[in-house]
Amino acid sequence: MTMMKSLVMGTAMAVLTSTTAMAAGHGCDISEGRVNIVGNEFPAIQSVAAAALECASGVEAESNLTADHQKINLAGMQGNPAEYTSAIVANSSIVALINEDVVRPLDDLVAMYGQDIPARQLITIDGKVMAVAFMANAQHLVYRKDVLEQIGMDVPTSYEEVLAAAEKIRAEGIMENPVGGAYAAGWNLAEEFVNMYLGTGGQFFEPGTANVSINNAQGVEALEMMKALTEYMNPDYLTHDSNATSAEWEAGNVALMNMWGSRTGPLMDTEGSEEVVYSNTVAGGPLTVGDSGNAASTLWWDGWTIAKNISDEDAAATFQALAHATSPALLNDETMEQAVWLMDGFEPQPLNEGVLATVAAGANPYPMLPFMGLLHTSLGDNIADYLQGNESAEQTLADIEAAYTAAAKEQGFLQ
Amino acid sequence: MKHSTFFWFVLPSAILMLLFIALPIVSVVTQSFYSAHEQVIVTVENCGPFGCTESTAVDQEATQALQDEEPLGKWVGTAIYTDRNHLALGEISDAWISADGLPDFGRSLMNLPFYKAMAFTLTYTFIVTPLTIILGFFIAIAVNSVAQALKGPTIFLSLLPMIVTPLVGSLIIFWMVDARGVLGAGLQWLASDPNLSVKASTAMMWMMLMFYGVWHSAPFAFVVFYSGLQTVNTDTLEAAMIDGASRWERIRHVVIPHLFPLTTFVALIQLMDNFRVFEPIVSFQAQAHATSLSYAIFNDLGGETRLLSSAAATSVLTIIGVAILLSPVMVRTYRDFTPRS
């Protein structure tokens, strides 16, 4: 279905963008090879895939965009030849592909076909280009302008101020649970801890090793702040992922939340919520925690890779199609507000301000470490115990470390 | 039957069972005794749109050399079974030594993922299975006495919970018990507590999962018992009526003994199904309150780094668990079908 949609989209986009492509000067003259892209499904990636397929219309080209892309991209790239010639990934998910050695270094292809790609878009690991990034994403404060005016408080810049504002909103009877957040047990909850822990200035691992080190004062501080926030959340918060949190926002039940930049668009459009909600929804900057002054958020990029187990012709065709699809030629009135694009010619839109402010605040990129995924899973499995009041923060942190250590031993990262 | 005829008769199914049941189990068992190779980690500099950072990466060439030497992985024996994320033998003995009384030991035990999952799985299995059988039996009795013209529609309605896909069925209930859903708001009104939330309380989440389990599998028990009811000897029933037996006495002394062998069958299937409880946990997003062995396997394979050996070990533990659970019923069935000499 997704594949069908992408193909149809591709045709539609072909009509739309062919003029732009020609104007840009370098059209697509791919005459041999094969293109097959696997990736996540949201508007920005759909635009990129459609443009790539349109560019490769002369050869065998298809795409498979699905929210479950991480479950199929590794298996689809391990064969020889690989089913997928390219996977669109983020800084967390590229690690799984690199660990299994299924993506190729792109230096020679960049030299041949990618001289126009600015250096900031190239993701290099140990000096080798492994991916080309095309958009940035981050979580940041989203707030209701009207509610803050009503209680007479400034826009919060720290979580401490969020708590103060939430208390006042509740005390004045405006909202019962004014704070929102994607705190669903599992990946989302772990991501919130990663943000908060980096905000306290914590380090996840002993430098240069896979030894985890989160059972410390910063870890406790991060957990305590998360628990303090949950006091002002809908009691069902452990089942609220980004979708459910957005729905709470659109229902007008929430006035302050930490949310993904890529999801602010739907909150500000006229669909799904009343005028008082969408017209007062504003993207703020990242929040800090404690007195460290660090932004409690992580920076993310989305980019594309090229499979290792494919012929050089297929790799060249895929590289050219995607390089074209993520060039300034992609940007037009429709695509401009779909993401914070990294290409030249991107003009920031009001709803992108949160992500740009997070980048400007010097937030840390999400750690691109081979064993970070294991820690993320352990975090997601254990933090709920503390938030529910079943055990102490230290016990939860010790459990996370123990669960991670057992998994890391099994994967060969620890002895 | 001649031995050769019997041999040729069962050969096709024996081959299929070997291919599709025995070999996958052998492969899972093998996998569970191997772990990934030692990963050679090097410090590298990563650069991207947000600047450069010192980081670590896997040295592919060195790791590849290890992999080529032993393609199956590193032999670790039962190390994965005994580690903290599975049987956690080391943690248990530590907890036993340092525990301050049995309740404290219990708390330490419930803090280990395997035992936490087992606690829910076993409670679920032993509550849902009998309730399913009892409810299924009473639905069957009730439907059997409905007027002939209404039987078709009644049977269809009674089967609906089983026809609905488990994920969809549980999602529907999940939305209904949401604090802003019909049932959730109704409960808040009944308890006159505006902050009551089924999803936030572990006890209520367990009750909801078990309620769902009974709701979903009662139709299966119903269908089996209903077909059994069609073969009840009417002469015996009429004789009992003439003797002045009430409806309950007829059910108690004629129908139930007749259906008893079917109960064994339903119990067997239900024990197996309930021990593998999985879909409701996913769609109720209940992992913060309840996990099961199947959910642990899903979790191992769903992360960004897949834990194949861990998932394999949990699978083997599930098979062992099902075998232990079914053994009393199996022994009973075996006795029933062995002619006594």
Side-chain angles (χ1 to χ4, degrees):
Chain A
M1 189 61 218
T2 324
M3 210 126 95
M4 261 310 280
K5 211 158 65 188
S6 310
L7 287 172
V8 174
M9 274 277 291
T11 331
M13 284 294 288
V15 182
L16 279 172
T17 54
S18 55
T19 40
T20 341
M22 277 168 198
H26 57 99
C28 294
D29 49 358
I30 301 169
S31 54
E32 54 172 1
R34 178 175 68 96
V35 178
N36 193 350
I37 303 163
V38 61
N40 201 348
E41 188 188 25
F42 56 83
I45 288 184
Q46 280 163 344
S47 300
V48 167
L53 295 188
E54 181 258 316
C55 175
S57 55
V59 297
E60 192 190 336
E62 52 187 323
S63 74
N64 186 1
L65 303 185
T66 157
D68 289 323
H69 65 117
Q70 282 191 33
K71 296 200 173 77
I72 55 174
N73 61 11
L74 184 58
M77 291 170 99
Q78 272 174 325
N80 197 356
E83 165 76 7
Y84 299 115
T85 61
S86 169
I88 294 179
V89 291
N91 39 342
S92 64
S93 47
I94 191 176
V95 171
L97 302 183
I98 293 176
N99 282 358
E100 296 296 326
D101 202 18
V102 295
V103 289
R104 63 169 68 196
L106 303 174
D107 299 82
D108 49 345
L109 289 165
V110 170
M112 225 181 312
Y113 306 108
Q115 300 93 334
D116 298 340
I117 302 175
R120 66 169 183 279
Q121 274 184 262
L122 301 176
I123 306 299
T124 62
I125 293 175
D126 201 12
K128 284 184 284 201
V129 178
M130 296 306 288
V132 178
F134 55 82
M135 61 171 276
N137 201 357
Q139 282 159 285
H140 53 74
L141 176 71
V142 178
Y143 63 92
R144 279 274 296 275
K145 201 171 56 184
D146 57 333
V147 176
L148 287 182
E149 276 165 13
Q150 215 175 325
I151 58 164
M153 286 180 91
D154 291 334
V155 179
T157 57
S158 70
Y159 274 112
E160 285 77 9
E161 291 172 23
V162 167
L163 289 175
E167 179 54 45
K168 200 154 184 204
I169 296 172
R170 180 180 278 179
E172 294 193 7
I174 303 168
M175 288 170 182
E176 183 55 34
N177 298 304
V179 176
Y183 271 49
W187 195 93
N188 289 281
L189 187 57
E191 174 59 17
E192 293 295 333
F193 178 83
V194 168
N195 288 335
M196 201 65 86
Y197 184 68
L198 286 172
T200 63
Q203 291 277 336
F204 289 105
F205 300 96
E206 292 167 18
T209 70
N211 298 328
V212 63
S213 65
I214 55 164
N215 195 357
N216 49 34
Q218 284 104 333
V220 173
E221 188 188 349
L223 281 181
E224 281 174 350
M225 176 52 81
M226 287 173 75
K227 189 164 188 174
L229 287 165
T230 62
E231 307 286 326
Y232 296 99
M233 289 184 187
N234 181 312
D236 295 347
Y237 63 87
L238 280 174
T239 65
H240 283 187
D241 57 7
S242 308
N243 282 327
T245 311
S246 299
E248 277 281 285
W249 184 273
E250 294 204 306
N253 296 328
V254 176
L256 299 157
M257 67 173 175
N258 191 42
M259 187 40 73
W260 289 96
S262 58
R263 287 180 176 269
T264 49
L267 300 180
M268 293 186 198
D269 69 18
T270 54
E271 269 172 51
S273 58
E274 288 178 38
E275 208 258 334
V276 62
V277 176
Y278 68 75
S279 61
N280 285 306
T281 300
V282 185
L287 296 162
T288 59
V289 56
D291 44 16
S292 71
N294 295 344
S297 180
T298 41
L299 300 177
W300 292 71
W301 52 258
D302 283 86
W304 44 271
T305 56
I306 305 277
K308 187 169 197 177
N309 299 336
I310 54 172
S311 69
D312 288 342
E313 291 80 52
D314 292 356
T318 308
F319 186 94
Q320 291 178 72
L322 281 162
H324 175 77
T326 52
S327 69
L330 180 75
L331 301 176
N332 58 37
D333 289 344
E334 195 202 330
T335 56
M336 192 65 89
E337 61 177 23
Q338 287 174 342
V340 176
W341 299 103
L342 296 169
M343 293 85 90
D344 290 324
F346 169 65
E347 294 154 15
Q349 310 292 305
L351 55 88
N352 304 137
E353 270 163 24
V355 175
L356 294 169
T358 311
V359 176
N364 289 292
Y366 182 87
M368 209 160 66
L369 298 167
F371 28 80
M372 188 65 199
L374 296 176
L375 179 61
H376 204 108
T377 306
S378 306
L379 288 167
D381 290 346
N382 287 293
I383 292 175
D385 270 350
Y386 169 70
L387 295 182
Q388 291 174 313
N390 296 342
E391 59 189 25
S392 67
E394 288 80 6
Q395 180 64 47
T396 294
L397 292 167
D399 287 350
I400 295 165
E401 290 200 346
Y404 163 80
T405 305
K409 272 190 184 147
E410 182 194 324
Q411 283 302 105
F413 292 117
L414 288 174
Q415 299 318 310
Chain B
M1 201 186 284
K2 275 199 298 188
H3 282 303
S4 66
T5 320
F6 179 76
F7 174 77
W8 289 111
F9 186 68
V10 298
L11 186 67
S13 51
I15 290 177
L16 289 180
M17 279 167 75
L18 203 69
L19 271 180
F20 295 113
I21 299 177
L23 283 185
I25 291 179
V26 170
S27 123
V28 166
V29 173
T30 316
Q31 172 82 65
S32 68
F33 291 123
Y34 288 90
S35 77
H37 283 287
E38 187 185 322
Q39 310 259 6
V40 184
I41 294 170
V42 287
T43 305
V44 293
E45 188 178 46
N46 292 346
C47 292
F50 317 120
C52 296
T53 46
E54 275 285 289
S55 182
T56 48
V58 176
D59 183 342
Q60 287 303 341
E61 280 161 26
T63 308
Q64 188 63 42
L66 280 171
Q67 219 152 31
D68 291 342
E69 237 169 73
E70 294 173 283
L72 255 180
K74 191 169 71 176
W75 169 265
V76 289
T78 55
I80 293 175
Y81 288 93
T82 54
D83 74 9
R84 184 189 180 272
N85 293 349
H86 299 88
L87 295 175
L89 299 186
E91 283 74 10
I92 290 189
S93 62
D94 288 351
W96 184 252
I97 292 164
S98 64
D100 179 21
L102 265 186
D104 189 44
F105 176 69
R107 266 194 298 279
S108 316
L109 199 64
M110 284 306 115
N111 198 29
L112 295 165
F114 178 80
Y115 297 97
K116 199 168 145 187
M118 279 307 268
F120 173 71
T121 310
L122 290 177
T123 315
Y124 182 89
T125 308
F126 287 115
I127 290 183
V128 170
T129 308
L131 286 181
T132 304
I133 292 175
I134 294 169
L135 188 66
F137 175 75
F138 281 111
I139 300 176
I141 300 265
V143 171
N144 203 33
S145 51
V146 164
Q148 201 62 36
L150 291 174
K151 254 186 194 159
T154 323
I155 292 177
F156 175 74
L157 282 178
S158 318
L159 286 182
L160 263 184
M162 199 167 71
I163 297 171
V164 177
T165 312
L167 272 175
V168 177
S170 39
L171 262 183
I172 294 171
I173 301 185
F174 178 74
W175 289 121
M176 283 166 72
V177 299
D178 187 274
R180 300 184 207 289
V182 180
L183 292 180
L187 281 176
Q188 288 177 348
W189 178 77
L190 268 181
S192 20
D193 174 5
N195 284 322
L196 183 83
S197 160
V198 175
K199 295 175 185 177
S201 137
T202 301
M204 290 180 87
M205 193 64 123
W206 280 36
M207 285 197 302
M208 186 170 66
L209 289 168
M210 288 174 203
F211 170 80
Y212 166 80
V214 176
W215 177 79
H216 176 69
S217 24
F220 170 75
F222 153 64
V223 168
V224 175
F225 288 134
Y226 185 73
S227 63
L229 283 176
Q230 309 311 308
T231 63
V232 174
N233 191 331
T234 45
D235 291 348
T236 322
L237 276 181
E238 277 164 19
M241 263 155 96
I242 293 166
D243 286 345
S246 68
R247 181 168 154 81
W248 168 244
E249 281 166 339
R250 273 175 280 145
I251 290 176
R252 171 70 191 81
H253 296 288
V254 180
V255 176
I256 291 184
H258 179 76
L259 294 183
F260 206 74
L262 287 176
T263 314
T264 316
F265 166 73
V266 176
L268 206 72
I269 303 283
Q270 284 303 312
L271 281 175
M272 225 160 25
D273 273 0
N274 292 333
F275 191 72
R276 294 181 289 110
V277 52
F278 171 65
E279 290 99 336
I281 297 180
V282 172
S283 33
F284 285 121
Q285 302 205 3
Q287 61 267 43
H289 305 284
T291 55
S292 69
L293 294 187
S294 301
Y295 184 80
I297 298 171
F298 172 76
N299 207 26
D300 281 342
L301 297 178
E304 262 153 16
T305 309
R306 270 177 254 178
L307 295 166
L308 289 175
S309 304
S310 171
T314 312
S315 303
V316 174
L317 291 171
T318 310
I319 296 174
I320 296 172
V322 170
I324 294 173
L325 215 56
L326 294 192
S327 53
V329 190
M330 291 300 242
V331 168
R332 200 196 148 80
T333 317
Y334 179 78
R335 277 208 204 116
D336 284 354
F337 286 93
T338 314
R340 277 176 207 124
S341 49

